[in-house]
Amino acid sequence: MPRNRTTARPAVGPRHLHPGAWWLWALGLAAAASRTTNPLLLLLIGAVAGYVVAARRGDEPWSRSYGAFLRLGLLVLGIRMAFTVLLGSPVQGTHVLLTLPQLPLPSWAQGVRVGGAISLEGLLFALYEGLKLAVLLVCVGAANALSSPTRLLRALPGALYEAGLAAVVAMTFAPNLVADVRRLRAARRLRGRDDRGVAALLSVGLPVLEGALERSVALAAAMDTRGFGRTADVPRRLARATAALTLLGLLGICAALYGLLGAAGSGWALPVLLLGLASAGAGLLLGGRRSLRTRYRPDPWAVREWLVAGSGIAVAVLTVWCSGRYPAAFAPSVVPPELPSLPLPAVAAVLIGLVPAAAAPVPPRRSS
């Protein structure tokens, strides 16, 4: 199909939102969560993500992966708390809640302890840090449940097509596993067998892995038949320049984001970010010449996409600003323990993330 003959999808009516808009929104919420250890703000960010998923989630198999990410976040939080109880915490407190029998360790294991005193300050520190990681996983799960991996692959620039293909296949693996586990558990219930417990989980694991292997082989054969991985011949000098520009640009963006999201901030971060974006954009533009693929009915980027993506970016920017103005609220003290406060501007900034619940189109149902 020629490159100049593409039919765009309609920007109105029942349709799927552009996957890039969902990922920008989710990354904005994740950036906001990374700026604070306040449990109230973290729970509010998680509630915003969950409400949007409930309001705009489709009925495809990959749309059911949000629950798996939520349970994974709770598991990470529980493991973090268990490690604090068993191995201690770097935060030494004076409010001792419980003293466990301490296991004597050899001299070469100094600095490591098993058991001992468990303080309120150490538990609060573990709770705040574990909750932050759990909310980050929830934000990633929200993007994974709201955006189609195949549509995300089609929206990637040509220079990132090979890497994006591997990433999308990897992201599709987890939702398909969830769907397989649901299907096999339902089959066990229909046969009158118990679908709970370790024995049931072990009996379901082998068919799930077998189905994943068969799906991988079928996907590889289908992709090879359709010509995935074929690239155009470009001069070696152009390929080297493309790789150098893209690599330097991405490194500059990472360094600038580290400076911007740091607690103290840095004056050099913004110029480096602009230079990194320019370099990466030039590299992606040159690298797109290697791609021979065409796009059939590409997803439009209309007003709804701007509203969804803009809400996530606004949450990130306003949260960074509020963290500099209310540092005590965004990092509540654990030594001594203090009740976390909730500034009204920070709450308003996080609630902007609810815009997709009204602005995003209702996804079409497979039954319709």
Side-chain angles (χ1 to χ4, degrees):
M1 182 183 296
R3 290 180 182 271
N4 57 354
R5 295 183 61 185
T6 57
T7 304
R9 296 178 183 272
V12 295
R15 64 181 180 90
H16 290 283
L17 197 76
H18 196 287
W22 282 127
W23 275 98
L24 286 176
W25 168 78
L27 290 177
L29 293 182
S34 67
R35 294 290 301 180
T36 180
T37 56
N38 189 325
L40 301 180
L41 277 177
L42 291 173
L43 291 176
L44 182 61
I45 294 172
V48 167
Y51 181 81
V52 174
V53 170
R56 287 298 181 265
R57 180 172 57 180
D59 58 350
E60 291 83 358
W62 43 264
S63 300
R64 307 187 186 118
S65 61
Y66 179 75
F69 279 91
L70 183 60
R71 288 189 288 270
L72 179 61
L74 295 176
L75 178 63
V76 168
L77 178 59
I79 292 175
R80 183 70 174 86
M81 297 294 293
F83 278 1
T84 300
V85 172
L86 296 177
L87 304 178
S89 172
V91 177
Q92 301 298 328
T94 57
H95 299 79
V96 178
L97 300 178
L98 181 64
T99 302
L100 297 178
Q102 188 168 353
L103 181 66
L105 298 176
S107 58
W108 53 265
Q110 292 183 359
V112 179
R113 69 179 180 87
V114 178
I118 303 172
S119 63
L120 175 62
E121 292 83 354
L123 288 179
L124 287 178
F125 179 78
L127 176 64
Y128 293 170
E129 294 296 330
L131 186 60
K132 178 195 290 189
L133 183 56
V135 173
L136 291 176
L137 291 173
V138 166
C139 295
V140 174
N144 203 21
L146 292 170
S147 62
S148 170
T150 56
R151 293 178 182 272
L152 180 63
L153 176 62
R154 282 208 299 254
L156 287 176
L160 297 178
Y161 186 66
E162 290 83 0
L165 180 63
V168 169
V169 170
M171 286 190 302
T172 311
F173 185 75
N176 286 331
L177 284 183
V178 175
D180 287 345
V181 170
R182 289 175 177 269
R183 176 176 56 83
L184 292 172
R185 291 182 62 185
R188 287 182 62 87
R189 288 194 297 268
L190 290 176
R191 294 185 177 94
R193 299 179 181 178
D194 188 14
D195 62 337
R196 299 179 181 274
V198 178
L201 181 61
L202 293 177
S203 63
V204 168
L206 185 59
V208 168
L209 293 178
E210 181 181 0
L213 181 60
E214 293 179 354
R215 190 183 300 110
S216 300
V217 174
L219 178 61
M223 291 171 59
D224 182 68
T225 303
R226 290 168 173 80
F228 280 84
R230 298 177 184 175
T231 57
D233 293 331
V234 296
R236 183 173 299 179
R237 185 176 302 175
L238 180 61
R240 291 177 179 175
T242 300
L245 287 173
T246 305
L247 180 60
L248 292 177
L250 294 179
L251 290 177
I253 292 173
C254 293
L257 291 178
Y258 178 80
L260 289 175
L261 297 178
S266 181
W268 54 266
L270 185 58
V272 172
L273 178 62
L274 296 178
L275 291 176
L277 289 174
S279 177
L284 294 179
L285 183 62
L286 292 176
R289 300 182 180 182
R290 299 175 60 246
S291 178
L292 297 174
R293 65 191 179 100
T294 59
R295 297 178 182 177
Y296 173 69
R297 300 186 69 188
D299 294 316
W301 189 278
V303 178
R304 294 178 182 268
E305 279 76 9
W306 284 112
L307 290 175
V308 173
S311 64
I313 296 174
V315 170
V317 172
L318 293 177
T319 304
V320 171
W321 177 79
C322 290
S323 64
R325 188 167 183 179
Y326 307 99
F330 274 74
S333 173
V334 295
V335 182
E338 295 180 356
L339 289 177
S341 59
L342 199 60
L344 186 59
V347 174
V350 174
L351 291 180
I352 296 177
L354 292 174
V355 169
V362 178
R365 301 292 176 179
R366 289 185 297 173
S367 58
S368 59

